Amino acid sequence: YTPTLFKKEYDCLCVNENNEYFIKDTNKPETKISPCESATEVSDTSDNAVTEVEKEVENAETEVEKEVENAETEVENFFDNAATQVRIGKDRLNKVSLGKESERENARACAQSPPPPTERLGKYENVFLSRAELEELKNSYEDWESRIERLSEYMASSGKSYSSHFATINIWAKQDAQTDSSHPSNEENSSYNLDEFFALAVKRQEQRMLAQMNTG
């Protein structure tokens, strides 16, 4: 056997996994990976991947728990606010009902309480004053009797009626005072005497009634 000139090149010829020929570089040292080292690298890679997945799962679970807690807090706040509004509404209704009940009780008390005793006064006994009102008239006016008679005669002659005879007498007294201050008393310009006017009106009314009776 005679070695060929390309013995060295032949030794460097190799076949890869695709069945392709290539020249191995003899200047680089060949590194061999042991089966244990390869398994360790694969195991480390798998562990790292599992750890990353576990971290992602933990993060997702933490976010879900936070969202659930926030939702529960919002629901609790909603129901707390609703309960507060309901309680405020009930308090307002209770106050309104208590106020109405108090008004009803006051109305019942006023209806059940007897009116103050009144006296029938005047010539025609058509002036009604309570004892307190009569005492106040006596203390306010020296001519209180004539003022009562004046009202009695006017109502009898005119047919008018008043809800408060006490107030009517006081109003007429104020009008008399204003008339007296605006018209000073003298022979040429005497004050207007309402008593005489009402007395004259009563006489005329009586004359008319007598005339009607005679003609009838």
Side-chain angles (χ1 to χ4, degrees), residues 154-171:
Y154 179 73
M155 289 192 298
S157 62
S158 64
K160 291 185 178 180
S161 61
Y162 299 92
S163 58
S164 174
H165 296 165
F166 176 74
T168 303
I169 293 173
N170 287 322
I171 291 172

Side-chain angles (χ1 to χ4, degrees), residues 51-212:
T51 302
E52 291 179 358
V53 171
E54 290 177 350
K55 288 181 179 179
E56 291 179 358
V57 171
E58 290 178 357
N59 293 332
E61 291 178 351
T62 303
E63 292 179 357
V64 171
E65 290 177 356
K66 289 181 179 179
E67 291 180 357
V68 171
E69 291 178 357
N70 293 333
E72 291 177 350
T73 303
E74 290 179 358
V75 171
E76 290 177 357
N77 293 333
F78 173 78
F79 282 107
D80 289 341
N81 294 331
T84 302
Q85 294 296 329
V86 171
R87 185 169 58 255
I88 292 173
K90 288 182 178 179
D91 293 339
R92 290 178 179 174
L93 289 175
N94 291 333
K95 290 180 180 179
V96 171
S97 61
L98 289 175
K100 291 183 177 179
E101 186 63 26
S102 178
E103 291 178 358
R104 295 193 192 97
E105 290 179 357
N106 292 333
R108 293 194 198 101
C110 293
Q112 294 175 359
S113 61
T118 59
E119 297 184 9
R120 303 171 67 90
L121 304 172
K123 180 179 180 180
Y124 299 96
E125 296 184 352
N126 54 356
V127 178
F128 299 96
L129 296 173
S130 66
R131 294 176 182 176
E133 292 173 344
L134 182 59
E135 290 297 325
E136 188 171 347
L137 288 179
K138 291 179 180 180
N139 295 328
S140 301
Y141 310 108
E142 294 180 357
D143 56 344
W144 59 274
E145 290 180 340
S146 62
R147 294 181 183 277
I148 293 174
E149 292 296 334
R150 171 184 167 188
L151 178 59
S152 177
E153 291 175 354
Y154 179 73
M155 289 192 298
S157 62
S158 64
K160 291 185 178 180
S161 61
Y162 299 92
S163 58
S164 174
H165 296 165
F166 176 74
T168 303
I169 293 173
N170 287 322
I171 291 172
W172 285 6
K174 291 180 181 178
Q175 292 175 353
D176 293 343
Q178 293 176 357
T179 302
D180 292 341
S181 62
S182 60
H183 298 284
S185 177
N186 52 48
E187 293 180 358
E188 295 180 356
N189 189 14
S190 60
S191 62
Y192 186 76
N193 194 335
L194 293 177
D195 293 335
E196 294 179 358
F197 172 79
F198 290 124
L200 181 61
V202 170
K203 289 181 180 179
R204 289 181 179 178
Q205 183 67 22
E206 291 177 351
Q207 291 175 358
R208 290 174 184 172
M209 293 175 63
L210 290 174
Q212 290 177 359

